[in-house]
């Protein structure tokens, strides 16, 4: 099964848009969340905008699958290729499968998700990605003055959960000091039955003089069953000494906090 990195698709679009703001497509919102029971249907609206100033865009809608790897990167695959796929449940109107937008024009698309009456799996959450792809590459010029062909593809992540999916639970599995790289290595698991997103905040306290240092907050996203591995870089210029690191994973209200502490010596 062929897999490619989803972030590359966004990087590709951003690269071309940076080259020349006259060519580009915007999709909003970047994530669509559905909650519905077995046998039910629901619809949400997404907006596609041609941000070009001179080019009409021929656009096509298609579907695929995506998942996170252990580093939190987006990996995309063909539609209906992953166990948690809901790509087969998603549809748009026939006239929205292929359409043309003039410069500056926008179009609302109704995205409908039909949940089957029975499921072949026991998962509470499912995902898919809806692509909006430019079918008519246009001429442009890059930053070096070379002639290029520009074609944009953007994706909207689709999330679905059953009403019974309510358990959010993250658990830290490891917190250690990576001396060679001057980082704190953190590993945690999503043990719940629904996605859990949030922020990771880290404080360092020098136990010899009491000085406190707050590190930059890290945003994360997880799906049920995910294992996440990340490195928290220590700040440059940190004075040598003995430290206590407190790492807080905030993924909801005050009752949903995961705390890890580590004592280490920075030399």
């Amino acid at each position: 099964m062929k897999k490619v990195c989803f972030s590359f698709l966004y990087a590709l679009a951003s690269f071309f848009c940076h080259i020349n703001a006259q060519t580009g497509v915007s999709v909003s919102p970047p994530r669509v969340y559905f909650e519905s029971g077995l046998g039910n249907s629901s619809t949400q609206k997404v907006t596609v905008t041609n941000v070009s100033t001179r080019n009409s865009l021929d656009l096509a809608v298609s579907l695929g699958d995506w998942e996170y790897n252990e580093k939190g990167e987006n990996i995309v695959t063909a539609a209906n290729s992953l166990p948690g796929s809901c790509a087969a449940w998603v549809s748009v109107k026939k006239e929205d499968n292929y359409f043309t937008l003039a410069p500056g024009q926008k179009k609302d698309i109704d995205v409908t998700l039909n949940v089957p009456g029975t499921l072949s799996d026991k998962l509470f959450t499912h995902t898919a990605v809806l692509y909006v792809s430019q079918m008519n590459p246009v001429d442009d010029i890059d930053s070096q003055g070379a002639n290029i062909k520009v074609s944009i593809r953007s994706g909207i992540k689709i999330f679905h959960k059953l009403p019974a999916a309510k358990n959010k639970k993250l658990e830290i599995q490891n917190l250690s000091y990576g001396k060679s790289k001057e980082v704190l290595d953190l590993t945690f698991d999503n043990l719940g039955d629904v996605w859990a997103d949030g922020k990771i905040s880290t404080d360092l306290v020098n136990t010899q003089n009491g000085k406190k240092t707050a590190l930059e907050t890290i945003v994360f996203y997880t799906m049920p069953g995910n294992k996440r591995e990340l490195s928290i870089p220590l700040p440059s210029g940190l004075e040598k000494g003995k430290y206590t690191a407190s790492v807080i994973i905030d993924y909801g209200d005050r009752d949903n906090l995961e705390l890890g502490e580590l004592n280490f010596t920075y030399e």
Side-chain angles (χ1 to χ4, degrees):
M1 179 172 59
K2 184 178 181 181
K3 296 185 178 182
V4 296
C5 182
F6 193 25
S7 60
F8 172 75
L9 300 176
Y10 285 114
L12 183 64
S14 298
F15 172 72
F16 283 132
C17 289
H18 178 70
I19 289 173
N20 192 327
Q22 293 178 330
T23 301
V25 60
S26 168
V27 291
S28 180
R31 298 178 180 86
V32 179
Y33 296 90
F34 292 89
E35 178 178 346
S36 52
L38 299 180
N40 291 328
S41 174
S42 54
T43 299
Q44 295 202 41
K45 193 180 301 294
V46 300
T47 301
V48 181
T49 304
N50 179 359
V51 301
S52 304
T53 59
R54 65 180 183 183
N55 297 310
S56 292
L57 301 181
D58 296 332
L59 301 170
V61 171
S62 60
L63 291 161
D65 283 346
W66 68 272
E67 62 183 346
Y68 295 120
N69 64 14
E70 291 185 346
K71 299 299 184 181
E73 299 167 330
N74 297 289
I75 306 299
V76 298
T77 67
N80 306 308
S81 61
L82 296 179
S85 174
C86 65
W89 310 351
V90 180
S91 63
V92 299
K93 297 176 182 177
K94 184 177 180 180
E95 60 268 26
D96 293 337
N97 280 311
Y98 187 89
F99 55 93
T100 299
L101 293 181
Q105 186 179 8
K106 64 176 59 178
K107 178 180 178 64
D108 290 334
I109 296 177
D110 288 333
V111 180
T112 299
L113 189 143
N114 295 287
V115 184
T118 58
L119 299 181
S120 59
D121 58 58
K122 297 182 180 180
L123 301 176
F124 287 87
T125 60
H126 296 81
T127 59
V129 57
L130 185 144
Y131 294 117
V132 178
S133 303
Q134 180 184 347
M135 305 306 291
N136 61 327
V138 298
D139 294 323
D140 214 324
I141 300 175
D142 67 13
S143 58
Q144 304 300 318
N147 294 324
I148 58 172
K149 287 285 188 179
V150 177
S151 183
I152 307 297
R153 179 164 81 158
S154 295
I156 300 170
K157 284 183 177 180
I158 295 174
F159 298 76
H160 173 266
K161 79 180 190 72
L162 296 172
K166 299 180 181 297
N167 180 32
K168 287 187 176 184
K169 181 175 176 57
L170 298 184
E171 187 173 287
I172 293 175
Q173 302 299 329
N174 181 64
L175 178 60
S176 60
Y177 170 44
K179 183 176 181 180
S180 62
K181 296 183 179 180
E182 298 190 348
V183 298
L184 301 179
D185 291 316
L186 174 67
T187 302
F188 62 95
D189 294 340
N190 184 336
L191 303 179
D193 56 21
V194 69
W195 50 81
D197 309 334
K199 298 179 179 180
I200 299 171
S201 57
T202 304
D203 289 330
L204 303 179
V205 175
N206 187 318
T207 58
Q208 295 170 299
N209 58 23
K211 182 179 179 180
K212 182 178 179 179
T213 303
L215 305 190
E216 185 175 350
T217 300
I218 298 174
V219 176
F220 72 91
Y221 302 89
T222 65
M223 293 296 294
N226 280 179
K227 175 184 290 292
R228 184 69 74 249
E229 299 175 351
L230 57 87
S231 295
I232 304 170
L234 298 179
S236 60
L238 184 68
E239 65 179 311
K240 310 301 182 182
K242 295 182 178 180
Y243 286 86
T244 296
S246 299
V247 177
I248 297 177
I249 303 178
D250 184 350
Y251 56 102
D253 55 34
R254 294 182 179 179
D255 295 328
N256 289 327
L257 294 174
E258 181 72 0
L259 171 64
E261 288 193 345
L262 173 69
N263 296 315
F264 68 97
T265 300
Y266 182 69
E267 300 175 331

